[in-house]
Amino acid sequence: MSTPTSPGWYDDPESPEQLRYFDGIVWTAHTTPRTSPSAASSTIGRAVPPAAPAHEPWSAPGYGQQPSQSPWSAPPMGGSGVAWQSRGDVLPDGAVLAEWWRRLIARIVDWVIVGVITAVLSWTFLQSLVDTFDAYVAETVRTSGQGTPPDTAALMDALASAALPISLISLAVTVLYETVFLVWKSATPGKLVFGTTVRRVERPGGISLVDALKRQVLTVLANVLAIIPVIGLLGSFLSLIDPAWLLWDPKRQALHDKVADTVVVLRRP
């Protein structure tokens, strides 16, 4: 069998009875049985569930009646009940939760893109920041032999005046960038590159505008707190704990995922 060229679920080269996820570079350890919810909605083909061992209590229906549903049959939407019970990274419908490292690298890609856009839109304010700092350094050098240091308070005020609009522009770009791509593609460019997509916890498919905006609530809150004196550290803490939450969460949800009731999963073909 030839190696796939894009991320997705494909026939497992090691076992014809299951599918294996290819991340675009190598075959991963993520597998799922070849099951089908129905002939009409199946996307991976029909498969006969494995026969239950004869000594198991469910292998022989009582009083000659066939049981209405075998515990080996797939739950709604084609997922595998057996896989969900044995693996915490697979949702009941067979979707595989994205690994933390994949989400982190995708986020870094998005940060770079947002940073470039922000720099272009706030170039005037960035130039003002540089000019203010250069003037302070020049004044420090000029007065170094006189014992009279330059006015540091004036420098801080000037830097704050230039930094505030840059922060607001960055926040606006971030919210717009995330919202547009999540509603349009169910993923940001960084997520698309690394084969992940955002969906609701209880169902596959795209997310709504409201869901996309909910995912930005903590980002906005953290940025607002960061510019308020005294409690600015709280905003910094929130910015750190939000993505770190997925490291120990059973559904690999960051805090912003919990607010919007979303998860990030590996993209299906």
Side-chain angles (χ1 to χ4, degrees):
M1 185 182 68
S2 59
T3 302
T5 58
S6 60
W9 290 96
Y10 298 93
D11 293 337
D12 188 346
E14 299 179 2
S15 172
E17 297 180 355
Q18 63 186 14
L19 301 177
R20 185 175 295 273
Y21 191 84
F22 183 77
D23 66 4
I25 301 177
V26 298
W27 292 101
T28 70
H30 300 299
T31 61
T32 187
R34 291 181 59 88
T35 55
S36 174
S38 67
S41 61
S42 174
T43 60
I44 61 174
R46 299 176 65 88
V48 178
H55 65 276
E56 294 294 343
W58 53 76
S59 62
Y63 303 102
Q65 299 297 318
Q66 196 71 11
S68 59
Q69 182 177 5
S70 166
W72 292 96
S73 60
M77 294 185 288
S80 170
V82 176
W84 174 241
Q85 293 170 8
S86 60
R87 292 179 50 188
D89 62 346
V90 181
L91 296 178
D93 58 16
V96 179
L97 298 173
E99 305 92 335
W100 69 268
W101 60 265
R102 193 185 298 268
R103 294 189 61 175
L104 174 60
I105 301 176
R107 175 60 65 184
I108 292 175
V109 171
D110 290 328
W111 281 341
V112 171
I113 296 175
V114 169
V116 171
I117 298 174
T118 299
V120 171
L121 295 179
S122 58
W123 181 255
T124 300
F125 301 105
L126 287 172
Q127 190 63 48
S128 176
L129 269 177
V130 173
D131 292 343
T132 299
F133 189 75
D134 285 346
Y136 178 80
V137 172
E139 182 67 13
T140 301
V141 173
R142 187 182 68 81
T143 61
S144 59
Q146 304 175 6
T148 305
D151 188 355
T152 304
L155 170 68
M156 299 306 296
D157 290 341
L159 292 177
S161 298
L164 178 60
I166 295 176
S167 298
L168 294 177
I169 291 173
S170 176
L171 177 59
V173 170
T174 298
V175 172
L176 186 62
Y177 174 90
E178 292 276 340
T179 303
V180 169
F181 278 107
L182 289 178
V183 174
W184 179 28
K185 294 288 189 178
S186 296
T188 59
K191 289 182 173 62
L192 290 173
V193 169
F194 286 92
T196 62
T197 184
V198 179
R199 53 165 275 184
R200 297 276 296 181
V201 172
E202 73 279 2
R203 59 171 173 78
I207 64 174
S208 67
L209 175 61
V210 173
D211 294 331
L213 290 174
K214 284 182 178 180
R215 286 174 58 87
Q216 313 308 313
V217 169
L218 292 184
T219 297
V220 174
L221 179 60
N223 279 267
V224 170
L225 291 176
I227 62 177
I228 299 176
V230 182
I231 62 174
L233 289 177
L234 183 58
S236 299
F237 174 76
L238 183 58
S239 296
L240 291 174
I241 196 66
D242 174 19
W245 198 271
L246 66 87
L247 296 177
W248 55 80
D249 188 84
K251 292 181 181 178
R252 296 184 185 171
Q253 288 178 298
L255 289 181
H256 63 265
D257 287 310
K258 290 192 173 297
V259 172
D261 196 30
T262 58
V263 287
V264 178
V265 299
L266 299 181
R267 191 169 67 246
R268 293 178 181 270

